Amino acid sequence: MALVNEHYLKLQSSYLFSDIAKKINTFKVTHPNKEIIRMGIGDVTQPLAPAVITAMHKAVDDLAARETFRGYGPEQGYSFLVDAIIKNDYTARGITIEPSEVFVSDGAKSDTGNIGDILRHDNSIGVTDPVYPVYIDSNVMAGRTGTMENGRWSNIVYIPCTAENDFVPDLPSRRIDMLYLCYPNNPTGTTLSKKELKKWVDYAIANDVLILYDAAYEAYIQDDDIPHSIYEIKGAKKVAIEFRSFSKTAGFTGVRCAFTVIPKELNGFSLTGEKASLNRLWNRRHTTKFNGTSYITQRGAEAIYTPEGKVQVKATIDYYMTNARIMKAGLQECNLKVYGGDNAPYLWVKTPNGITSWKFFDMLLYELSIVGTPGVGFGPSGEGYLRLTAFGSREDTQEAMSRLKSWAK
Ligand code: PLP
């Protein structure tokens, strides 16, 4: 008899986006002639950069000839990609990272979800609230979250990020061992300045806290004072793992490529207090359970660092950020309070007149045929907000704003 991992039975049975999909389907059946504009799920819509396409075509040709054929590659990623990552994402910002500290993978979702494999089941966890749901659910699966009481897990410290604290999380009042930070933030679209992030790094150093820093949206940062990497903060290599992704940077949501940086100087501890290199443990895990990102994909990722690749990728990000500006201005014109959207492709809209997230979701769907994501789906502090994404086409973005403006009148 195979016994199951009982922690899986504790997971909330339905996932936020499937609830939304059900609501959209019902709406479609009852309103077959309405044109729905989707600003809910955070997927990109613009095609890959031409430099990426050319590199991937060439990589396919490499596989067609015996001399250039590649089979299994290094699990941690080909050196051509790792070197390009280090040179462009780290050295260029004055950060020293060694090739053996970079692990190329098939996604930041897998990496943020799997990192718990190398950490004990009874570590306590801190998350900023609202939060990217993967951090919570992957810890539920590992049995690390305790019991669910009033919509909160007992072994998770929820650190509220709301308009009241300007979306800057306060240091937790309870001891935590692992802390998830995501900046620029999904879902709120807000950021931390270097000074604000330094507060957390200093706290982690003083209290032996491991920071799991998800920088999947760093490419959207426009302001100079906002750190692209946590390693821009002194001492962060002693306390932080950084997750990056090509998904939103370069439209790789379907192609799949990401990387995780685990500095050699970062340690966890055994129960008896001995230091254990997290880089070594993750290397062991990665080489055992993962067989590398495809050669074609890695060649495509490498191409975003070429001069033409950089220009093309930036043009797409500028396109989405122009959408974000159009949306922010449009929402404000409708007298809605809106946060984020300046350094991130997400806008976090306060619901009008204190209505719930789901009520506002229904209202936008049924009155304007616009789909957002109810903020409460990202955690208790998300109640009273709705997330809109700037990843749509320009036409849809403009149409959505014009519907909103006529509605507001
Ligand atoms: N981290 C955050 C904060 C995200 O919002 C997402 C995707 O939406 C991911 C990670 C997943 O990235 P990937 O496509 O690399 O798995």
Side-chain angles (χ1 to χ4, degrees):
M1 184 168 54
L3 300 180
V4 298
N5 175 347
E6 297 204 349
H7 303 305
Y8 277 63
L9 306 178
K10 295 187 217 156
L11 287 164
Q12 311 280 9
S13 59
S14 83
Y15 185 56
L16 172 66
F17 291 105
S18 54
D19 286 349
I20 293 173
K22 269 187 235 145
K23 284 202 176 241
I24 297 173
N25 282 340
T26 311
F27 176 77
K28 273 192 189 155
V29 171
T30 49
H31 302 75
N33 301 322
K34 292 280 186 192
E35 282 284 338
I36 295 179
I37 299 179
R38 291 170 191 270
M39 301 182 126
I41 296 185
D43 198 0
V44 294
T45 53
Q46 299 305 301
L48 293 172
V52 170
I53 296 294
T54 305
M56 290 175 89
H57 277 303
K58 181 171 177 309
V60 172
D61 290 340
D62 288 347
L63 300 184
R66 187 170 304 153
E67 300 72 40
T68 47
F69 172 77
R70 312 274 183 133
Y72 290 125
E75 291 95 339
Q76 301 88 340
Y78 283 106
S79 57
F80 61 75
L81 178 57
V82 171
D83 292 347
I85 288 169
I86 292 177
K87 179 166 171 246
N88 294 280
D89 288 327
Y90 294 103
T91 314
R93 296 193 184 280
I95 301 163
T96 307
I97 296 288
E98 288 175 29
S100 56
E101 295 177 318
V102 177
F103 297 87
V104 174
S105 74
D106 63 354
K109 186 189 230 182
S110 334
D111 288 350
T112 53
N114 289 328
I115 196 70
D117 277 17
I118 61 167
L119 298 161
R120 245 181 88 98
H121 70 279
D122 49 3
N123 285 312
S124 59
I125 301 154
V127 295
T128 55
D129 173 32
V131 65
Y132 176 54
V134 173
Y135 312 153
I136 304 265
D137 285 357
S138 57
N139 279 296
V140 175
M141 292 170 177
R144 210 174 273 125
T145 52
T147 50
M148 175 60 103
E149 290 152 22
N150 304 322
R152 289 161 198 260
W153 293 99
S154 58
N155 200 24
I156 291 187
V157 176
Y158 293 79
I159 307 167
C161 292
T162 59
E164 284 66 44
N165 62 7
D166 228 358
F167 299 93
V168 178
D170 291 327
L171 296 175
S173 49
R174 231 171 88 191
R175 157 98 213 144
I176 52 175
D177 302 306
M178 305 157 46
L179 167 73
Y180 290 85
L181 291 179
C182 171
Y183 288 100
N185 186 258
N186 177 14
T188 64
T190 58
T191 48
L192 290 187
S193 66
K194 283 194 181 137
K195 194 167 155 232
E196 287 155 353
L197 186 56
K198 181 175 182 313
K199 178 183 81 176
W200 281 99
V201 170
D202 291 348
Y203 164 81
I205 294 171
N207 294 281
D208 283 328
V209 177
L210 171 65
I211 299 180
L212 302 163
Y213 193 75
D214 187 342
Y217 297 94
E218 69 71 35
Y220 289 81
I221 293 172
Q222 313 283 311
D223 300 348
D224 290 341
D225 183 44
I226 296 169
H228 288 251
S229 164
I230 193 166
Y231 305 126
E232 288 176 47
I233 312 296
K234 199 161 168 268
K237 278 165 102 188
K238 289 196 189 71
V239 290
I241 293 176
E242 180 161 286
F243 303 94
R244 293 272 190 111
S245 172
F246 293 92
S247 284
K248 308 299 161 66
T249 301
F252 274 48
T253 53
V255 177
R256 311 304 304 144
C257 194
F259 62 93
T260 290
V261 177
I262 309 191
K264 290 272 177 64
E265 60 202 87
L266 173 61
N267 288 302
F269 296 89
S270 70
L271 255 194
T272 46
E274 283 116 42
K275 286 182 178 169
S277 158
L278 294 181
N279 177 290
R280 193 171 53 78
L281 298 189
W282 185 250
N283 192 47
R284 191 72 174 83
R285 192 244 172 237
H286 202 64
T287 51
T288 301
K289 292 196 176 180
F290 185 66
N291 239 347
T293 305
S294 85
Y295 172 68
I296 301 166
T297 298
Q298 291 191 61
R299 280 292 185 203
E302 179 195 20
I304 77 156
Y305 296 111
T306 59
E308 61 281 14
K310 282 182 189 172
V311 171
Q312 294 161 3
V313 163
K314 183 174 178 304
T316 304
I317 289 173
D318 287 348
Y319 177 91
Y320 293 134
M321 289 310 287
T322 302
N323 283 351
R325 273 192 293 282
I326 293 170
M327 290 164 70
K328 196 154 186 176
L331 291 156
Q332 283 168 341
E333 230 180 277
C334 300
N335 285 328
L336 288 163
K337 275 249 170 241
V338 49
Y339 306 92
D342 299 324
N343 293 285
Y346 295 116
L347 288 95
W348 193 239
V349 188
K350 184 96 192 92
T351 62
N353 308 318
I355 62 172
T356 66
S357 296
W358 276 111
K359 189 126 201 270
F360 192 40
F361 170 91
D362 285 337
M363 206 158 134
L364 288 187
L365 178 61
Y366 277 83
E367 295 180 30
L368 301 174
S369 311
I370 294 173
V371 179
T373 309
V376 69
F378 297 101
S381 297
E383 181 54 285
Y385 295 90
L386 184 105
R387 189 191 75 173
L388 295 178
T389 88
F391 286 126
S393 67
R394 182 64 41 76
E395 302 70 42
D396 278 357
T397 303
Q398 281 165 337
E399 169 62 18
M401 290 309 110
S402 100
R403 286 185 199 175
L404 260 165
K405 284 179 205 168
S406 0
W407 174 73
K409 277 185 198 143

